[in-house]
Amino acid sequence: MITSTQSFLFKVATYGMSYAFIHWDARDGEAVGANPDDPEQLLFLGNVVMDQVPAFELAVQPSAANMQTARWAVRTTLMLREDVWDRWDVEVEGGATRSITQDVQALGNQSTQEVAVGEWVEVHQLWHIPSKAVPKGLVLTWTGTRVLEKKAFPYDHGRLPFVQCDLLPGLVGREGRTWVNDLIPMQID
């Protein structure tokens, strides 16, 4: 957990803000046995987990003053086609999508094990809390034009499961700031 926390705080310090995605994961925790329908698949106890979400992976309702008043957010991540299959049992086609890591490695001409570009897909997940328009709320996961999962909002507290973490509080908007924001005026002179 310490390494995970240090990595999380590094993103907050670098980007000025980041998010923690706190959610229930039925595939985490101790293995409790085999699935009666598929003996090769293990069933797990489940656990509350925290994932780090860089600020550029989450689009939050622009008119929201803060995360407590936001009614919706869309998280976009890159996943390998095989990981999409493992999680949702859906076969998807790869696209010409590259991760930021792949782009940086290509720019630096570093030799590392490369994954074919066609193996990556963008996966989007819309979280919408219950409202007049969507009484039960909504969690919609899709890639391209293919819906992977659609379900009602799973939490009774009625708030998005993302916690914003700022290095320094924002001056004008919801977004936090870094030391770079404070150094910019000095460079203008």
Side-chain angles (χ1 to χ4, degrees):
M1 183 66 174
I2 290 176
T3 303
S4 176
T5 304
Q6 288 172 341
S7 175
F8 178 74
L9 291 175
F10 174 77
K11 288 181 180 174
V12 173
T14 306
Y15 306 132
M17 63 183 279
S18 191
Y19 297 94
F21 176 42
I22 302 167
H23 60 103
W24 175 260
D25 188 349
R27 295 176 308 268
D28 197 33
E30 289 183 39
V32 292
N35 184 345
D37 298 329
D38 182 4
E40 292 185 22
Q41 180 188 24
L42 290 176
L43 296 177
F44 294 90
L45 191 58
N47 202 1
V48 174
V49 295
M50 180 186 89
D51 295 334
Q52 334 173 20
V53 179
F56 51 80
E57 279 189 10
L58 191 69
V60 180
Q61 177 186 359
S63 60
N66 54 45
M67 287 302 293
Q68 288 76 24
T69 61
R71 289 183 303 228
W72 62 265
V74 177
R75 181 179 180 189
T76 300
T77 58
L78 284 181
M79 294 180 75
L80 289 169
R81 291 175 54 225
E82 185 175 329
D83 293 338
V84 172
W85 171 260
D86 289 344
R87 180 153 183 172
W88 291 287
D89 292 331
V90 175
E91 181 88 28
V92 295
E93 294 298 317
T97 305
R98 291 173 58 118
S99 71
I100 291 174
T101 304
Q102 289 170 324
D103 284 342
V104 170
Q105 289 173 350
L107 289 172
N109 200 15
Q110 299 175 7
S111 61
T112 60
Q113 182 179 2
E114 190 162 327
V115 177
V117 172
E119 294 297 311
W120 292 92
V121 293
E122 280 187 339
V123 176
H124 311 280
Q125 192 169 53
L126 166 69
W127 287 80
H128 195 297
I129 64 171
S131 65
K132 285 183 193 177
V134 189
K136 293 183 179 180
L138 177 69
V139 179
L140 178 66
T141 308
W142 77 94
T143 180
T145 58
R146 183 81 183 258
V147 173
L148 302 173
E149 181 180 47
K150 182 178 180 181
K151 62 183 180 181
F153 192 80
Y155 304 114
D156 293 335
H157 55 63
R159 289 177 43 190
L160 296 173
F162 301 96
V163 177
Q164 182 172 326
C165 304
D166 298 326
L167 177 67
L168 301 168
L171 297 175
V172 179
R174 182 183 71 249
E175 295 79 13
R177 65 186 209 276
T178 68
W179 297 292
V180 174
N181 299 85
D182 298 329
L183 294 174
I184 290 172
M186 288 188 249
Q187 294 177 19
I188 294 173
D189 294 336

